[in-house]
Amino acid sequence: MDDTLRELYQEVILDHSKHPRHFGKLDDATNTAQGHNPLCGDRVTMYLKVDADDRIQDIAFEGKGCAISQASASLMTDMIVGRTVAEAEKLMGGFLHLVKGEDASGLDPDDRERLDVMAGVSAFPMRVKCATLAWHTMKSALEGGAAAEAV
Ligand code: ZN
């Protein structure tokens, strides 16, 4: 990756962490879960409103932690709102491959482009858990809301 692109990606991450999308609480959430990444101290609480057709109507998160964890939560909420649960889980699968430096060709090209800002964390195994925390917490909320730990 050239330096200009790297800088751009850093800007995107900083922007998301400073001005997180969907930050807050949903009073009418159908699914919630809390996640914790003990290695870094990141915490996130995810609120989802899933309708009868399994579509994620609304989503919000609260949390604090490093810029990567907050930016990833912001980016994720922005990307999965309006999708079905199955689509969100498929996106999560592709994202996990991407940040672990594995084959992420299953991702839709547009999704891949948006998630690419996070691909750089694959070089830093400790930070992968920061990037995946929000996603694991989202999945845990969909599965019934047990506490999630980043894996
Ligand atoms: Zn972190």
Side-chain angles (χ1 to χ4, degrees):
M1 193 189 302
D2 69 48
D3 285 349
T4 322
L5 202 56
R6 198 182 297 272
E7 268 168 36
L8 173 70
Y9 282 179
Q10 276 174 0
E11 261 174 46
V12 173
I13 289 174
L14 278 178
D15 180 53
H16 271 283
S17 71
K18 281 182 182 161
H19 310 285
R21 287 27 156 208
H22 302 278
F23 193 87
K25 208 171 182 169
L26 282 189
D27 288 330
D28 54 352
T30 55
N31 300 65
T32 65
Q34 295 185 331
H36 179 215
N37 171 16
L39 286 173
C40 181
D42 310 314
R43 288 189 182 276
V44 63
T45 303
M46 204 59 68
Y47 305 90
L48 291 99
K49 187 182 173 190
V50 182
D51 70 14
D53 297 322
D54 261 1
R55 192 168 291 279
I56 299 163
Q57 288 257 323
D58 206 355
I59 184 165
F61 78 98
E62 290 180 316
K64 57 180 184 185
C66 67
I68 299 280
S69 69
Q70 300 304 295
S72 183
S74 172
L75 184 63
M76 182 200 77
T77 52
D78 219 21
M79 287 184 73
I80 70 167
V81 68
R83 299 195 196 213
T84 64
V85 168
E87 286 166 350
E89 286 179 351
K90 182 170 179 281
L91 188 65
M92 174 178 174
F95 176 75
L96 293 185
H97 284 307
L98 186 70
V99 293
K100 289 175 183 171
E102 299 164 359
D103 177 18
S105 56
L107 281 169
D108 178 84
D110 289 343
D111 291 338
R112 171 71 199 254
E113 201 177 308
R114 290 193 68 188
L115 290 172
D116 234 12
V117 294
M118 289 287 166
V121 303
S122 64
F124 307 94
M126 291 279 292
R127 309 317 295 271
V128 170
K129 293 174 195 295
C130 301
T132 59
L133 177 65
W135 294 79
H136 285 298
T137 309
M138 177 269 291
K139 187 153 196 283
S140 155
L142 291 173
E143 285 169 353
E149 273 213 0
V151 282

